[in-house]
Amino acid sequence: MRGEEVRSSFLEFFESRGHLVVPSASLVPRADPTLMFTNAGMVPFKDIFLGNAEAPASRVVDSQKCLRISGKHNDLEEVGRDTYHHTLFEMLGNWSFGDYYKAEAIEWAWELLVGNWGLPADKLYVTVYRDDAESEKLWKKISGLATDRVQRFDEKDNFWEMGETGPCGPCSEIHIDRGEGSCDMQQVAGHKCEVNAGCARYIELWNLVFIQHNRDDTGQLHDLPMLHVDTGMGLERVAAVLENVDNNYEGTLLRGLVARAEEMSGLDYGKDFEHDVSMRVLADHARAVSFMLADGIEPSNEGRGYVLRRLLRRAARHGRSLELEGTFFARVCESVIEGMGAAYPELSDRREAIVAGVEEEELRFSLTLDRGLAHLDEAAGQLSAGGSSLRLDGETAFRLYDTYGFPLDMTQDILRSRGIEVDVDGFKAALEQQRERARGARRKGAAEVDLTRMVALAREKGGSSFEGSWQLQAESEVIALGKAGAPVGSAKAGDEVEVVTAVTPFYAESGGQVGDTGFMSTSAGTTLEVLDTRKGATDVSVHVARVVEGELSLGDTVSLGVDEERRQAIRLNHSVTHLLHAALRHHLGDDTHQAGSLVDAARLRFDFKHDGPVRAELLAEIEREVNDAIRDNLEVTVAEMSYDDALATGALAFFGEKYGDLVRVVRMGDYSVELCGGTHVARTGDIGLLRLAGESGVAAGVRRVEAVSGAGALGALKTRDELLSTVAGLLRGGVDEVVGKLEKLLEAKGELEGRLSEQSRARSGDAVENARAAAREVAGGHAVVARADGLDAGGLREMADRLRAGLDSVVVVLAGDTGSGVAVVAATSGALAERVHAGKLIKELAPLVDGHGGGKSDFAQAGGKDPSGLDKLLEKANELVG
């Protein structure tokens, strides 16, 4: 049976026994911001087990795509180096929600494995939980297995738990004996091959979980009112067994992807261990990357996006090990789509987005990959040459990450085969130092202090309560007072302090909205300027302030006043981000969602997930729609409710945000519903006007719009009018004549550039003839190595193309001083294209002019900084081409 047939036959088997076939859920867990990826078959059904959702049917069967690459499941460094670790895998599962139980689950498992799939019964072993006599009896009765083939184990191997508390129960696993030759621990002294002994001879095929208990906070088990069945079988593993191949990468689910790597590289799998590792990495990572992109995850520097970027870059590095160039990984991903698109339609539906996303990231990383590898080679070489301990320092590892985009695990992966370790603690220290510098820069001089002690002191007094959604003044007691994070009893004029009050109208910076500023005062005449408000904890807001006059003491009663004009501007900008988010989703699709924001008094910045730039006409339509919603003067309501109730209303929640048991739902008519803790207007009409100020890319798959609202939007219109009037004056015409006059100027400019281009082509033609005349014979054709100053890379390329067109088999190297640097091109044709690789030629020549570059086998180019090296470059080129 092929892997695809195993999947379909499993689904059909259980469908014929009354199970509803449900499609795989997304790799992004629905309504669970605490979990990065769907990492097990039970994740989509978690709420059903917890009693928070209704099951789609009492019997369900599926093949769930899963990703294990984060948290305790992070085995990324092992993927490729062995033949059984994977990032993405498919979990086959059948489920009973209060319907059948142990007898049916065991009977059907045995029927499918032995009766339908033909696995030899004499090679199968079963394990049960030590106290589960019922399952043990059923297995012996149904399968006829001898007593020594049904074995009992403790909690570690045969008791399943969702977490420290919650649903749990005994499980029963089916193992297969693959023969003595499959043992991978024969060299381990004292090792004995047996079930659960750790070697590859006995491998688990299927796990049947019988959920019958609930564990409380004290650790006690209580019987559940309904009994459930949750089974899981890794498709890749069972398919390899049924296909009778040695490992998963030899099975049909992955072998075709390995073959694609063989085809592109011209290498044979199974001939060289390091090459095999790289081919397995490409095969495995292509599946994970394709599914992640299909589920709307985009490469970025945080969260799920960073995991995706790590996979893409690890694949790019291994492709280099196979001497692959260009967008090779996108071709492997295309094979994934072709092979799995029928079973997972989301792959075919998002084919263009997947391929474009991979190609963009490949090209982006290729700009720094070669330089980073050279830097790493140099650093590793110095370790060996100096006779020092083979351990790369953390600073160098961090420089590779920060400058060249090398994730830490990729650096470790590269050095592992050379026997070199990486100082991980040193890397983390360097990373934290950079973060500290970034935080300091963001604060622009405001002291970044550790608020831990302030928070603890405030919590002893009950914490602080934010009462400033609508009121901007309050009176309250000072319950914590500190300087640079250290608690103090009092502060005098000139001191910069941190102040916590029991009640505050000041909004603390969070959710992209900046903290409030304003004033504090006491009845004794003490005044403070509040410079910022920070969230020390969810229940503690800390005012960063300067004592202007008098003295402030712990326990004083203070009057607090928020800067009203600033708060109102922030309120407008924050509210309009909700409208903007809704409009973006309407026009760009539901895959578009917030990736970050900044809301202050002057402007708003909104980052969102989207492939490629948003067209100008579409941006104009989005702006129009938002302004329509503003003019509709929709009522803005804020309600507190449970997280699950909020999601049921359709409110948007985002991965990485921390939500408590109660959340705030901000609704703007029927147009927008989001979870948000910020401050907002009473009606959308209060915003007045939105003007988009620009759209740009900030990372792969992440776009940014900047905008202004209210008075800021009116100011932007006024500035634009003034600018247009200035341009009209320079063109000596009225505002309505600007376009016509500019068109005439551009037309004249184009004519002038055309004449200059003709002169350049004439000079280029003379240079071509001179170079052709200087062509010399080499084995297999001709070689042209010439200097051509005054031409940029484009001019040199045109010259090289003309030389190739005039000679049947030729290798061309042209280089020259551009006036601002050096341009170099290499090109080949005919028989010489097979003997001389232009890209490799350029890589050897470019350093001679302090440059770098690359390209394909038939054309490559480079830029350099040192024209004094041109003669050496041309001399070296003549030597290399023969």
Side-chain angles (χ1 to χ4, degrees):
M1 297 178 69
R2 294 176 58 83
E4 297 84 354
E5 295 170 326
V6 176
R7 182 197 301 117
S8 60
S9 69
F10 180 89
L11 298 175
E12 290 165 3
F13 178 87
F14 283 100
E15 184 179 27
S16 69
R17 286 154 181 79
H19 290 65
L20 173 68
V21 178
V22 296
S24 171
S26 169
L27 287 175
V28 180
R30 178 182 175 274
D32 189 353
T34 64
L35 193 61
M36 185 171 281
F37 297 110
T38 298
N39 57 19
M42 59 75 56
V43 170
F45 306 110
K46 180 177 175 181
D47 280 345
I48 298 173
F49 291 133
L50 291 172
N52 298 327
E54 292 291 327
S58 61
R59 298 181 179 187
V60 167
V61 62
D62 71 345
S63 179
Q64 174 63 46
K65 55 192 175 187
C66 302
L67 192 68
R68 290 187 178 176
I69 193 175
S70 56
K72 69 178 182 179
H73 298 300
N74 188 359
D75 292 326
L76 181 59
E77 67 275 5
E78 302 300 331
V79 174
R81 303 207 70 81
D82 59 36
T83 58
Y84 49 86
H85 275 98
H86 298 290
T87 53
L88 182 126
F89 62 96
E90 295 181 70
M91 185 65 79
L92 303 173
N94 58 290
W95 313 79
S96 167
F97 303 112
D99 191 328
Y100 62 84
Y101 201 47
K102 293 180 181 179
E104 294 88 342
I106 291 171
E107 181 178 356
W108 289 335
W110 190 257
E111 181 182 352
L112 178 62
L113 291 177
V114 178
N116 287 38
W117 286 351
L119 288 177
D122 60 351
K123 296 294 185 183
L124 298 179
Y125 289 74
V126 171
T127 65
V128 298
Y129 180 53
R130 66 183 181 202
D131 296 332
D132 191 2
E134 180 186 3
S135 290
E136 182 183 47
K137 182 178 179 181
L138 284 168
W139 273 115
K140 291 178 180 179
K141 175 184 176 183
I142 292 169
S143 69
L145 290 173
T147 300
D148 65 336
R149 303 279 289 284
V150 181
Q151 304 175 9
R152 296 192 182 199
F153 286 87
D154 290 336
E155 285 92 341
K156 176 179 177 292
D157 296 300
N158 281 87
F159 195 88
W160 179 88
E161 299 182 85
M162 183 179 291
E164 292 183 5
T165 62
C168 56
C171 62
S172 183
E173 296 178 343
I174 306 164
H175 299 251
I176 189 168
D177 178 1
R178 305 202 73 187
E180 293 182 8
S182 298
C183 177
D184 55 357
M185 298 179 67
Q186 295 178 10
Q187 307 304 317
V188 178
H191 172 71
K192 180 182 178 182
C193 289
E194 54 189 15
V195 174
N196 286 336
C199 75
R201 174 176 174 178
Y202 294 91
I203 61 170
E204 174 198 336
L205 291 181
W206 202 348
N207 187 13
L208 315 180
V209 178
F210 306 120
I211 303 174
Q212 62 191 55
H213 305 299
N214 184 66
R215 190 183 295 279
D216 65 22
D217 293 337
T218 68
Q220 295 296 309
L221 295 178
H222 305 279
D223 290 340
L224 288 170
M226 296 179 65
L227 304 178
H228 308 294
V229 173
D230 159 7
T231 85
M233 175 162 52
L235 174 61
E236 292 80 6
R237 178 178 292 183
V238 73
V241 170
L242 290 170
E243 292 181 56
N244 197 29
V245 294
D246 290 337
N247 61 72
N248 298 355
Y249 288 94
E250 298 285 355
T252 52
L253 293 170
L254 285 153
R255 190 60 182 88
L257 302 177
V258 173
R260 190 66 185 267
E262 287 181 297
E263 176 190 333
M264 292 188 298
S265 65
L267 301 170
D268 292 328
Y269 182 69
K271 302 293 185 182
D272 178 272
F273 176 74
E274 291 300 331
H275 289 163
D276 290 353
V277 169
S278 295
M279 291 185 194
R280 288 194 289 265
V281 166
L282 293 185
D284 174 273
H285 289 13
R287 299 203 317 162
V289 165
S290 297
F291 276 102
M292 292 171 81
L293 287 166
D295 283 343
I297 302 169
E298 297 291 345
S300 69
N301 287 328
E302 59 185 15
R304 299 184 181 104
Y306 184 58
V307 173
L308 174 57
R309 176 160 285 168
R310 285 168 59 201
L311 291 177
L312 281 160
R313 294 190 170 186
R314 190 167 187 259
R317 198 279 293 183
H318 278 281
R320 281 291 193 275
S321 298
L322 300 174
E323 297 190 3
L324 297 175
E325 296 182 352
T327 55
F328 61 88
F329 191 52
R331 308 289 78 79
V332 188
C333 291
E334 286 178 328
S335 294
V336 173
I337 298 169
E338 291 162 7
M340 302 184 74
Y344 295 93
E346 61 269 29
L347 290 172
S348 300
D349 293 344
R350 286 184 53 83
R351 181 189 185 100
E352 291 184 6
I354 293 169
V355 174
V358 175
E359 288 180 341
E360 181 180 353
E361 191 71 9
E362 282 190 274
L363 293 171
R364 182 188 299 271
F365 189 43
S366 68
L367 299 175
T368 59
L369 176 58
D370 290 332
R371 284 183 289 156
L373 289 172
H375 184 80
L376 181 56
D377 286 341
E378 181 181 353
Q382 289 173 353
L383 290 178
S384 301
S388 59
S389 172
L390 295 182
R391 183 181 175 89
L392 187 73
D393 64 279
E395 282 285 347
T396 300
F398 175 72
R399 196 176 308 117
L400 286 164
Y401 164 79
D402 191 44
T403 305
Y404 302 106
F406 280 33
L408 174 62
D409 50 39
M410 191 173 98
T411 299
Q412 292 174 304
D413 198 24
I414 296 170
L415 295 180
R416 184 178 294 108
S417 61
R418 307 184 195 182
I420 301 174
E421 297 180 351
V422 178
D423 178 8
V424 176
D425 290 339
F427 172 87
K428 291 178 178 177
L431 179 61
E432 184 57 32
Q433 289 172 10
Q434 186 207 49
R435 287 173 175 167
E436 286 292 339
R437 290 192 296 270
R439 283 194 286 264
R442 284 198 301 271
R443 292 296 179 187
K444 297 181 179 179
E448 176 73 13
V449 298
D450 183 355
L451 300 174
T452 305
R453 295 170 68 188
M454 292 289 292
V455 169
L457 185 60
R459 281 178 168 169
E460 290 177 5
K461 302 288 184 66
S464 59
S465 172
F466 172 63
E467 304 291 345
S469 290
W470 302 110
Q471 67 183 59
L472 301 182
Q473 288 84 35
E475 197 168 86
S476 186
E477 177 190 355
V478 176
I479 60 173
L481 181 64
K483 293 181 183 178
V488 296
S490 63
K492 62 183 185 303
D495 288 345
E496 290 200 359
V497 294
E498 298 86 45
V499 184
V500 181
T501 55
V503 173
T504 180
F506 284 75
Y507 181 82
E509 178 180 359
S510 63
Q513 179 174 327
V514 297
D516 280 333
T517 61
F519 295 90
M520 290 184 189
S521 63
T522 70
S523 58
T526 300
T527 58
L528 296 88
E529 180 185 5
V530 179
L531 307 170
D532 193 9
T533 310
R534 302 180 194 166
K535 190 176 283 296
T538 55
D539 57 345
V540 178
S541 295
V542 181
H543 309 88
V544 178
R546 181 173 59 85
V547 182
V548 177
E549 185 178 356
E551 183 174 309
L552 181 70
S553 298
L554 187 66
D556 282 354
T557 297
V558 293
S559 296
L560 302 99
V562 176
D563 182 332
E564 184 173 355
E565 183 177 343
R566 181 174 180 272
R567 163 69 83 83
Q568 178 63 7
I570 294 171
R571 196 196 301 272
L572 301 185
N573 281 335
H574 197 156
S575 295
V576 85
T577 60
H578 286 227
L579 299 178
L580 180 58
H581 190 190
L584 286 166
R585 289 169 64 86
H586 291 164
H587 288 274
L588 304 180
D590 288 343
D591 286 345
T592 302
H593 57 85
Q594 182 175 339
S597 67
L598 173 67
V599 177
D600 62 23
R603 66 194 172 106
L604 66 95
R605 188 180 73 204
F606 189 83
D607 297 344
F608 59 97
K609 300 284 189 179
H610 183 64
D611 296 324
V614 182
R615 301 190 316 275
E617 58 269 25
L618 193 52
L619 282 173
E621 183 61 24
I622 290 167
E623 182 182 83
R624 183 201 62 74
E625 182 175 312
V626 172
N627 282 310
D628 284 348
I630 291 172
R631 285 194 300 275
D632 287 342
N633 201 26
L634 305 170
E635 182 182 10
V636 179
T637 60
V638 179
E640 281 196 348
M641 61 185 73
S642 72
Y643 178 73
D644 290 333
D645 287 345
L647 295 182
T649 69
L652 296 177
F654 306 104
F655 170 76
E657 290 293 329
K658 303 298 183 184
Y659 299 111
D661 294 334
L662 282 179
V663 295
R664 294 174 81 244
V665 178
V666 178
R667 177 182 291 275
M668 299 182 179
D670 292 327
Y671 188 77
S672 167
V673 188
E674 289 190 22
L675 302 188
C676 181
T679 61
H680 293 281
V681 297
R683 303 192 75 93
T684 59
D686 298 343
I687 298 167
L689 179 69
L690 170 81
R691 288 291 290 172
L692 295 181
E695 189 268 354
S696 61
V698 293
V702 179
R703 307 299 298 178
R704 170 175 292 170
V705 288
E706 298 186 68
V708 287
S709 68
L714 291 174
L717 288 176
K718 183 174 183 294
T719 300
R720 179 168 293 190
D721 286 345
E722 291 173 349
L723 179 62
L724 188 57
S725 296
T726 300
V727 172
L730 291 171
L731 293 172
R732 298 181 181 179
V735 169
D736 56 348
E737 298 177 284
V738 165
V739 174
K741 286 183 173 290
L742 274 176
E743 286 176 342
K744 288 182 179 179
L745 272 178
L746 292 172
E747 184 180 344
K749 176 175 176 287
E751 291 176 357
L752 179 59
E753 288 175 343
R755 289 198 294 271
L756 290 173
S757 179
E758 288 177 7
Q759 294 173 6
S760 176
R761 280 197 297 272
R763 288 198 304 273
S764 174
D766 293 339
V768 168
E769 293 306 318
N770 292 336
R772 185 179 288 124
R776 58 188 177 85
E777 290 189 4
V778 295
H782 292 82
V784 177
V785 178
R787 180 164 179 165
D789 293 332
L791 296 176
D792 60 12
L796 290 181
R797 176 164 192 161
E798 181 181 346
M799 185 174 170
D801 287 342
R802 293 171 67 180
L803 286 167
R804 285 195 294 184
L807 296 167
D808 292 335
S809 177
V810 66
V811 55
V812 179
V813 178
L814 303 174
D817 186 342
T818 65
S820 59
V822 175
V824 189
V825 300
T828 60
S829 68
L832 280 172
E834 299 179 7
R835 184 167 69 84
V836 180
H837 191 291
K840 294 179 179 178
L841 189 61
I842 280 291
K843 286 182 181 179
E844 288 202 48
L845 297 176
L848 298 175
V849 288
D850 191 17
H852 56 84
K856 300 180 179 179
S857 61
D858 62 342
F859 182 82
Q861 64 185 46
K865 303 175 184 176
D866 183 14
S868 67
L870 277 167
D871 290 340
K872 287 185 179 179
L873 182 149
L874 295 172
E875 182 181 343
K876 182 67 173 178
N878 275 311
E879 176 187 328
L880 292 173
V881 301

